[in-house]
Amino acid sequence: MSEPKDNPLMEKIVSLCKRRGFIFQSSEIYGGINGFWDYGPLGAELRRNIRDRWWNDMVRNRDDVVGIESSIIMHPKVWEASGHVAGFNDPMVDCKVSKQRFRADQLFFARVDVIAEQADAANAQTIGYVSALESEQTEGELQEKALELKRKKAVRGQLAPIAPLDFTQAKPEEIPLIPSPATGEPGSLTPPRAFNMMLQTYIGALRDESAVAYLRPETAQGMFADFKAVVDTGRVKIPFGIAQIGKSFRNEITPRNFIFRSREFEQMEMEYFISDEDDWAKWHRHWIDWCRDWLVSVGIPAAQLSEYNHPKEKLSHYSRGTTDIMFNYPFGVQELWGIAARGNYDLSQHAKFSGVSLEYFDETAKRKYVPHVIEPAVGVDRILLAILCSAYCEDEAPDEKGKMETRVVLRFAPRIAPIKVAVFPLLKNKPELVARAKAVRDLLRPHMNVFYDEAGAIGRRYRRQDEVGTPFCVTIDFDTLGEKGDDLKDTVTLRDRDTMKQDRLKISELLAFLLSKIR
Ligand code: GAP
């Protein structure tokens, strides 16, 4: 995947996010900290809208899903039972010269073979290796580097086709020959090592092994650990789900692509428990469709979404099937939401490690069993990035003098937009206009996020709101005050972000109109 600086669209989105207060680098005044991000005033509103919508649709508006909030630090045994202590690893490669660290499955290499004139491909001569980090252009980059190597070594003949492999596939004897992507020279890369991605901390006064605890790498284990408590107290009946929204932490080796892969991020996960005899494939499909529809409901175009079914041979032994909903990010098609059918592995593991039975007594079937689970798991930050990428748009609009100029606009779905409506008095030095505009702001404010702005020419104020995706702007002018007669008195100009059309609307009808658009 390419970084924002190599991708013009991502660069524009990142710069807009910073300029307009959506997303900042964490601790920026200290030079930032890699893999951590802060959300500014508009980003915080957008995040909240995503979370609230998910919570309403997933929990409040359903009879079969309840919500919890479990602690970020849980008993360390939770992570032994879940398999994270032993298996939550990424293969990692160090460059001993540059001190950079790469994920082995994101570092690609290729053998450079040259076929001498009049020789056949079977007699190709290996002249060295090339390497490149994963991106949309990995293959092209390897090809270019191979040509460069051939030129440098002044070897005659034809380059054999490049066959890229990732570093986990390198044979031990090849490792010293593969150049580091950081230095371009071979000999400094280490063999891949398993690197546990859980962030550790210590609980209590002692700093020894007995005090080790982990920041959760997923919220899901909270739902499994609390399963019994919810069943005992919640009057839930299978099939039912337990959902939660919360921060998760992973010591990602290569956090990248803005907020796409961070070390601290927020997940929205739901564990849907079904009978061991139920048709898991039907429920799996049900939840894939639900997630897809939900993404469309927050403004992500269906055409930008696709599905990826994990191949059977790559699934964990307990998994029945995992499907990822993929989004076409500017840096490539990547995982947005994973929907996994996990059998009864998690509850069985926790029963084994805790010694507490997690069987469920099914009153209808009159029998006990360990429920199976379907898990839709998504990151708030990845949804937010997908929403930003699908909303970003440049079109043409007339400036103050009627000359066409490029307009940057975020076409957020009104229900997800951070600001729903901006209210402007036509002029800031006319107290009657200002007072009336403030009254309109106060009328709308209890129902939605309203932004009041009186600075600058009206056209510039519209542009500022277009750039942050405000779907509606309301202007209070002299007509509102009744200066052109009673017909237009108590009406305002309502301007639509996408069509840029302006209509007159009675103030008394404004709230109902806006509510109908944002709900
Ligand atoms: N409980 C299952 C689980 O956590 P996952 O595929 O590792 O599965 C679920 O994570 C979702 O969390 C992903 O689909 C993605 O949306 C989000 N996510 C995972 N790692 C992330 C990271 N480092 N940064 C941002 N979001 C991440």
Side-chain angles (χ1 to χ4, degrees), residues 133-420:
L133 292 177
E134 185 188 18
S135 78
E136 275 167 278
Q137 295 96 30
T138 306
E139 205 162 336
E141 207 180 318
L142 290 173
Q143 182 75 31
E144 255 178 49
K145 286 183 175 169
L147 273 171
E148 177 62 25
L149 186 69
K150 179 171 167 283
R151 239 191 327 266
K152 251 197 196 158
K153 296 208 166 184
V155 182
R156 285 170 171 273
Q158 195 195 337
L159 211 57
I162 288 283
L165 295 171
D166 77 49
F167 206 79
T168 59
Q169 296 164 290
K171 295 185 193 124
E173 64 275 18
E174 287 181 308
I175 290 175
L177 307 175
I178 299 171
S180 157
T183 62
E185 297 298 326
S188 65
L189 294 177
T190 63
R193 286 185 287 140
F195 170 77
N196 193 293
M197 293 205 294
M198 279 199 294
L199 280 153
Q200 272 192 19
T201 185
Y202 297 89
I203 305 295
L206 290 176
R207 289 220 149 215
D208 61 13
E209 276 303 298
S210 69
V212 167
Y214 304 97
L215 302 192
R216 67 181 173 200
E218 59 172 27
T219 59
Q221 296 307 321
M223 276 79 96
F224 298 124
D226 286 349
F227 172 79
K228 186 172 158 31
V230 172
V231 169
D232 289 350
T233 57
R235 297 167 65 193
V236 286
K237 272 206 177 87
I238 286 227
F240 75 92
I242 310 179
Q244 107 164 285
I245 300 178
K247 289 275 182 133
S248 293
F249 303 82
R250 296 183 188 177
N251 197 2
E252 297 280 359
I253 302 168
T254 46
R256 52 160 74 194
N257 280 312
F258 198 27
I259 53 171
F260 179 82
R261 183 177 294 127
S262 329
R263 290 178 167 143
E264 174 179 337
F265 54 100
E266 190 157 37
Q267 288 187 308
M268 306 196 288
E269 297 196 278
M270 195 273 292
E271 308 301 326
Y272 199 73
F273 298 99
I274 58 174
S275 154
D276 56 347
E277 289 177 349
D278 213 337
D279 180 355
W280 69 266
K282 181 196 81 181
W283 281 114
H284 191 219
R285 187 70 246 168
H286 168 87
W287 283 108
I288 298 167
D289 292 342
W290 189 94
C291 297
R292 207 181 232 272
D293 291 348
W294 191 86
L295 290 170
V296 173
S297 83
V298 292
I300 298 179
Q304 301 271 53
L305 300 170
S306 53
E307 283 175 24
Y308 169 75
N309 294 316
H310 288 229
K312 285 262 173 303
E313 63 278 10
K314 293 225 168 161
L315 293 174
S316 338
H317 64 94
Y318 53 82
S319 176
R320 307 228 158 148
T322 296
T323 299
D324 290 339
I325 299 180
M326 314 289 282
F327 176 74
N328 187 12
Y329 290 98
F331 42 83
V333 173
Q334 293 290 330
E335 175 189 342
L336 171 54
W337 201 326
I339 301 100
R342 300 177 58 89
N344 64 8
Y345 177 78
D346 305 274
L347 287 182
S348 302
Q349 283 290 99
H350 285 299
K352 192 167 127 194
F353 277 74
S354 66
V356 175
S357 167
L358 295 179
E359 280 186 319
Y360 169 86
F361 179 69
D362 190 323
E363 281 177 21
T364 318
K366 300 277 181 256
R367 64 185 184 89
K368 275 184 173 180
Y369 55 83
V370 179
H372 286 220
V373 76
I374 309 288
E375 176 193 75
V378 69
V380 177
D381 315 79
R382 280 200 194 171
I383 294 181
L384 193 140
L385 185 56
I387 288 177
L388 275 170
C389 295
S390 9
Y392 186 90
C393 173
E394 288 175 15
D395 62 11
E396 294 273 301
D399 68 8
E400 302 288 271
K401 295 184 183 121
K403 199 172 137 240
M404 294 309 268
E405 62 174 7
T406 302
R407 174 179 82 132
V408 173
V409 49
L410 288 176
R411 294 190 194 274
F412 291 133
R415 65 177 70 96
I416 216 78
I419 301 171
K420 307 299 185 202

Side-chain angles (χ1 to χ4, degrees), residues 432-449:
E432 318 86 282
L433 292 177
V434 168
R436 206 62 209 276
K438 287 188 173 164
V440 171
R441 175 199 64 188
D442 295 344
L443 167 82
L444 302 174
R445 212 176 226 179
H447 307 275
M448 63 194 75
N449 193 25

